[in-house]
Amino acid sequence: MASLPSLTALPCLAALLLSACAQPMAPAGPAPVAPPPAFNPTPAALRPIDTQVVQRLKTSLATWQALRDSVSAYHYQVVFESYTGFRSVTTVQVRGHQVVERRLQTQAGRASGLTLQWVETGAELGRHPGAAAPMTLDQLYDLAMALLEAPLKPHEQFSLGIDSKGLLQHCYIADRRIADDAPKAGVPRLELELNPT
């Protein structure tokens, strides 16, 4: 049977244990590296509209402002053609720089002709859906200029058209991901006819 240590040896054992515990610990190694921040593509993916395009629109607006007072009346048509064969023509009449009439004609197939659907005047203007908005050329320029404020997303394309008189023909942002009948935000293609005094 093993004998127990003597009472005189106990303080020595206690001192030995305490000195072992007081030794400094070995270093734990380098601190863990934090993971990189998550990739956020939204701000970098947006792109501004080309400055030359912006200048073309501003020049066109100046052309209209110089010509505006000599124009007593004008009308424009907005033609929509679907890949299915459906076609619509909105005609907007402007006199004294106020919209006075809007009408819609449609065509069901390529073989058929245009059929008048409705005519709006006075308080009825803007009442029917499914046609180009009843806007003056001044309002259309305001809409076009507002488009310049929004940066383009990666899937968007900005398109500006100026006619032979230097006036706005179209100004819109289209979704490039959609091949047929892509939705367009802004001013659709106009067929403008001025009637100077």
Side-chain angles (χ1 to χ4, degrees), residues 140-164:
L140 293 170
Y141 269 107
D142 287 344
L143 180 57
M145 295 299 289
L147 285 184
L148 301 179
E149 303 298 321
L152 298 173
K153 296 174 183 172
H155 61 273
E156 292 178 333
Q157 178 177 2
F158 184 86
S159 182
L160 172 66
I162 305 297
D163 69 15
S164 59

Side-chain angles (χ1 to χ4, degrees), residues 2 14 51-52 94 97 108 111 115 175 188:
T51 55
Q52 291 180 344
V94 180
H97 303 290
T115 302
D175 190 331

Side-chain angles (χ1 to χ4, degrees), residues 43-126:
L46 299 178
R47 64 191 194 281
I49 294 169
D50 186 273
T51 55
Q52 291 180 344
V53 173
V54 173
Q55 189 54 51
R56 282 181 63 213
L57 180 57
K58 289 180 177 179
T59 301
S60 177
L61 175 58
T63 300
W64 167 242
Q65 289 171 337
L67 186 63
R68 185 180 186 276
D69 290 340
S70 66
V71 177
S72 62
Y74 59 89
H75 73 267
Y76 63 85
Q77 291 186 326
V78 176
V79 179
F80 170 77
E81 293 182 291
S82 171
Y83 74 97
T84 63
F86 175 79
R87 183 170 182 254
S88 71
V89 179
T90 305
T91 304
V92 177
Q93 297 273 356
V94 180
R95 284 193 205 96
H97 303 290
Q98 298 289 327
V99 176
V100 295
E101 182 184 286
R102 181 176 74 146
R103 64 178 58 213
L104 178 70
Q105 297 169 284
T106 60
Q107 182 177 355
R110 301 191 194 284
S112 64
L114 287 167
T115 302
L116 179 65
Q117 298 299 317
W118 44 258
V119 177
E120 298 173 337
T121 58
E124 293 183 340
L125 283 166

